Amino acid sequence: MDLIKLSNALIPDTDLLAPEEYESIYPPRNLEKGALVTRLAPSPTGFIHLGNLYSALADERAAHTTGGIFYLRIEDTDEKRKVDGAVESVIRSLKYFGIKFDEGAEIDSPLNNYGPYYQRQRAKIYRSFAKKLIAQGLAYPCFCSAEELDATREKQTQNKETTGYYGAYAKCRNLSEAEIYENLAKNKPFVIRLKSQGSIENKFTFNDAIKGDITVTENDQDVVILKSDGIPTYHFAHAIDDHFMRTTLVIRGEEWLSSLPVHLELHKALGFKPPRYAHTCSLMKMDGDTKRKLSKRKDPELSLDYYRKAGYYPLAVVKYLMTVLNSNFEEWELKNPDGDYRDFKFKIDKMGKSGALFDLEKLCDVSKTEISKLSAEQCYDFLKEWVDEFGTQTDKTHFADKEYIIKVLNLVMGTSGKKRRKDIERAEQGVRLIDYFFDDTFKVKDEYKYDKKTVNEVLKSFAELYDPADDNSAWFAKVKQVAGKVGFATEMSDYKANPEKYTGNVSNAAEIIRIAVTGSANSPDLCTIMSILGKERSLKRLAEGRV
């Protein structure tokens, strides 16, 4: 068979460059020894999830820890799945978490020398290499219809055989020259398939950058490399792109392990040295007593939108994921509590080899800690950004008074004292936490533990004594005075010695006032709260708190 003639018949394009010309168009990168080139290569489907962030963080850290390059490539070979604005959404979502690309799709960078970064714009490169493989006898046309392929798959399933296009089931693999040209003359649609040289009888050892040595079976599937519209499949395109974008490390989910033999054979057929592959373990969660993979359908926390809408502090999400990526990060941070996580020496081989447990409660704790480190002004900016995007109109009105919110945050966060409070875990909860400082969102959440007469007497008596000019000492002295008046112990030691002698203790009296003023039995310093609210509003709440 004249393979050169066949390659020209199947791919008649006259404007294709010779495959070897691309080596000079995309030369090896000028980087220091050991510098890694990594990529994030999502499909433009519009859904970016926690797994993408997890991989992107690993990619970004691996590249930048070694002085390398992290780039964005868009794998848009499946036009049906494309969603408008999806690429911008990826960039925006990752930027929110502090992850930035050095080059790539929609990235304004002087390093953009290895594009286009959209696969559909690289069609001529793929067609050039497909044509070369046909000419070498390593690829061939397949004219099987979708119905024929479905029937084959059904038969294989019934016979409990591996599904796919291989061996005796590869009907077009050995078509004669006459049969091929007869099908072309009839304008029968066709795809181009790899003519696999592998055998499932052969196994070999592959060194995964995360999992170490693993044994895999050679590929024997004649996978599609060019679809009937001339656009490549993911398998074919990624091998060519990773070579010419000079990717040195591909970090991807372990679900791609089954495709590894295909990808290695494609690199071999194309004459390329494959990059190192690192297969990450799946993100898991506890479901009762068992672990399971995070699911798009079952787990809202898989979507990155969940963290933005709930208002998790972005640096906290990144730091928590760092603890999942490298277990020794937590130990490093304990020694460097004020250190930049980017100073941590991230290592691919320190990543877990089995399922990584995602713990939302632990993330909340990390978020509380990170928010507690902020100044009141920084916290205001963080909360206001959330309010501007997700808050109610009432929230927006509240946050328009920056000076008032700063006073509230200084108290709620304990920024004026040595010990910081950790009451705010995320923006949505933080905004709701300070609702009681505004009359239009103030609600009484907790109930009094004492009878109507006692409650009313405490509130009425304290209102008569309240003076906003009092400092904490004078303020508390008046609480004691009221407590003694209604039969509460004014000293805790007296109450502990003879509890049956008293209605309650001074802290119980203070709790009655606290519930009336804040709506809750727990709050920061009540004297300061009343000072922020002002005399008029404080007295109004004491009056309205009576039952």
Side-chain angles (χ1 to χ4, degrees):
M1 188 182 296
D2 187 339
L3 295 176
I4 300 295
K5 177 185 174 184
L6 178 62
S7 68
N8 287 325
L10 295 174
I11 302 179
D13 312 44
T14 57
D15 59 346
L16 300 180
L17 297 178
E20 55 271 17
E21 290 186 55
Y22 290 105
E23 293 292 344
S24 58
I25 294 172
Y26 303 110
R29 293 174 183 266
N30 184 23
L31 297 172
E32 294 292 325
K33 184 179 180 181
L36 296 174
V37 178
T38 65
R39 44 77 162 176
L40 187 68
S43 298
T45 59
F47 181 81
I48 182 166
H49 54 76
L50 191 67
N52 297 132
L53 178 60
Y54 177 76
S55 292
L57 182 59
D59 279 314
E60 187 271 339
R61 286 291 80 216
H64 292 159
T65 300
T66 59
I69 297 291
F70 174 46
Y71 71 89
L72 175 64
R73 183 173 77 224
I74 302 301
E75 300 189 336
D76 58 346
T77 56
D78 189 346
E79 186 74 4
K80 295 176 184 176
R81 298 179 65 206
K82 184 178 179 182
V83 174
D84 289 340
V87 177
E88 292 77 9
S89 176
V90 169
I91 296 169
R92 185 172 58 252
S93 295
L94 294 181
K95 185 178 179 182
Y96 177 77
F97 292 100
I99 296 176
K100 298 177 183 178
F101 298 96
D102 299 305
E103 65 177 78
E106 306 303 325
I107 307 298
D108 183 14
S109 170
L111 300 176
N112 283 352
N113 299 318
Y114 292 83
Y117 296 93
Y118 287 87
Q119 288 185 328
R120 292 190 77 87
Q121 296 174 13
R122 299 170 66 84
K124 289 183 179 180
I125 306 175
Y126 310 132
R127 292 176 68 78
S128 174
F129 277 90
K131 192 170 186 174
K132 178 183 178 182
L133 291 181
I134 296 167
Q136 292 175 322
L138 295 175
Y140 63 93
C142 172
F143 299 92
C144 291
S145 66
E147 292 75 18
E148 288 175 306
L149 294 174
D150 287 342
T152 297
R153 191 178 301 109
E154 187 176 332
K155 181 179 179 181
Q156 291 168 333
T157 302
Q158 288 175 348
N159 293 340
K160 297 182 179 179
E161 295 176 297
T162 300
T163 57
Y165 203 86
Y166 62 94
Y169 292 112
K171 296 179 182 178
C172 294
R173 181 181 174 109
N174 297 310
L175 288 178
S176 67
E177 189 171 15
E179 288 173 316
I180 291 173
Y181 283 107
E182 183 181 345
N183 284 325
L184 291 176
K186 293 178 180 178
N187 290 320
K188 286 190 71 172
F190 64 90
V191 298
I192 302 298
R193 290 184 181 273
L194 172 72
K195 183 176 280 188
S196 175
Q197 306 301 302
S199 168
I200 58 169
E201 301 300 321
N202 299 331
K203 297 184 182 298
F204 63 95
T205 300
F206 171 81
N207 183 261
D208 185 277
I210 293 174
K211 297 182 180 296
D213 286 345
I214 54 176
T215 300
V216 293
T217 302
E218 282 185 353
N219 170 62
D220 71 339
Q221 296 270 351
D222 288 0
V223 295
V224 176
I225 59 174
L226 277 192
K227 294 180 280 189
S228 58
D229 61 358
I231 297 298
T233 58
Y234 163 78
H235 301 302
F236 191 52
H238 107 277
I240 292 172
D241 291 341
D242 280 337
H243 176 72
F244 287 117
M245 292 179 182
R246 305 300 175 177
T247 312
T248 61
L249 177 68
V250 173
I251 302 174
R252 61 187 187 180
E254 62 187 354
E255 66 272 13
W256 287 104
L257 269 172
S258 60
S259 299
L260 180 64
V262 174
H263 297 163
L264 293 177
E265 184 176 7
L266 277 168
H267 279 90
K268 182 178 180 181
L270 290 163
F272 301 154
K273 179 184 177 182
R276 287 207 75 191
Y277 285 99
H279 292 88
T280 63
C281 53
S282 300
L283 287 175
M284 314 286 283
K285 72 175 290 185
M286 294 303 298
D287 193 348
D289 295 329
T290 59
K291 281 185 185 180
R292 65 166 175 79
K293 287 177 65 173
L294 282 171
S295 158
K296 290 181 184 179
R297 184 171 56 85
K298 296 180 181 178
D299 306 307
E301 66 267 33
L302 186 60
S303 169
L304 285 192
D305 282 344
Y306 172 87
Y307 301 94
R308 294 193 65 188
K309 289 177 181 176
Y312 282 90
Y313 193 56
L315 180 60
V317 177
V318 170
K319 282 193 170 184
Y320 172 68
L321 287 178
M322 287 295 295
T323 69
V324 179
L325 287 167
N326 271 189
S327 58
N328 57 328
F329 175 77
E330 209 163 354
E331 180 184 348
W332 177 87
E333 193 174 30
L334 286 173
K335 295 177 181 177
N336 303 273
D338 298 318
D340 188 324
Y341 77 91
R342 290 167 291 195
D343 293 333
F344 169 73
K345 299 300 181 185
F346 173 78
K347 292 185 180 297
I348 287 292
D349 59 8
K350 291 287 186 183
M351 291 178 66
K353 293 178 174 59
S354 57
L357 186 62
F358 181 75
D359 186 342
L360 195 58
E361 286 187 20
K362 187 172 180 181
L363 169 58
C364 289
D365 288 340
V366 175
S367 193
K368 283 181 181 179
T369 298
E370 291 304 314
I371 292 174
S372 74
K373 296 177 182 178
L374 303 176
S375 67
E377 287 78 8
Q378 289 171 324
C379 188
Y380 170 82
D381 291 340
F382 167 59
L383 296 180
K384 188 175 185 301
E385 184 180 352
W386 180 88
V387 165
D388 288 344
E389 187 170 0
F390 301 107
T392 65
Q393 187 54 51
T394 301
D395 294 332
K396 291 179 174 67
T397 301
H398 293 171
F399 272 76
D401 190 347
K402 181 175 180 178
E403 185 179 350
Y404 183 73
I405 296 286
I406 293 292
K407 285 182 184 177
V408 171
L409 292 176
N410 274 319
L411 169 66
V412 171
M413 300 177 70
T415 54
S416 58
K418 290 183 179 180
K419 188 174 181 181
R420 289 293 190 92
R421 295 177 65 93
K422 296 183 179 181
D423 293 345
I424 302 177
E425 67 176 33
R426 50 194 176 83
E428 181 184 35
Q429 173 263 345
V431 171
R432 298 285 73 84
L433 184 69
I434 62 175
D435 272 344
Y436 65 87
F437 281 96
F438 304 91
D439 291 339
D440 52 1
T441 48
F442 169 70
K443 293 178 182 177
V444 177
K445 300 174 183 176
D446 293 335
E447 296 182 357
Y448 298 116
K449 298 175 184 176
Y450 291 91
D451 60 80
K452 178 179 178 180
K453 180 182 177 183
T454 302
V455 169
N456 289 345
E457 190 170 354
V458 168
L459 296 179
K460 181 175 181 296
S461 299
F462 188 74
E464 291 171 353
L465 296 174
Y466 178 65
D467 183 346
D470 288 341
D471 60 14
N472 273 55
S473 179
W475 181 90
F476 191 62
K478 289 179 179 178
V479 175
K480 279 187 166 185
Q481 185 178 337
V482 170
K485 181 180 177 182
V486 296
F488 287 74
T490 58
E491 301 295 336
M492 290 301 295
S493 56
D494 293 339
Y495 180 74
K496 288 179 180 178
N498 297 289
E500 67 283 349
K501 182 180 176 182
Y502 302 99
T503 306
N505 58 58
V506 66
S507 67
N508 299 136
E511 183 181 279
I512 292 172
I513 300 169
R514 192 181 302 277
I515 291 173
V517 174
T518 70
S520 173
N522 295 297
S523 75
D525 180 67
L526 186 54
C527 176
T528 307
I529 290 173
M530 295 179 74
S531 175
I532 293 171
L533 288 171
K535 183 176 182 179
E536 184 180 341
R537 281 201 290 173
S538 295
L539 292 178
K540 184 172 181 283
R541 291 191 184 183
L542 289 171
E544 292 178 349
R546 298 176 198 171
V547 290

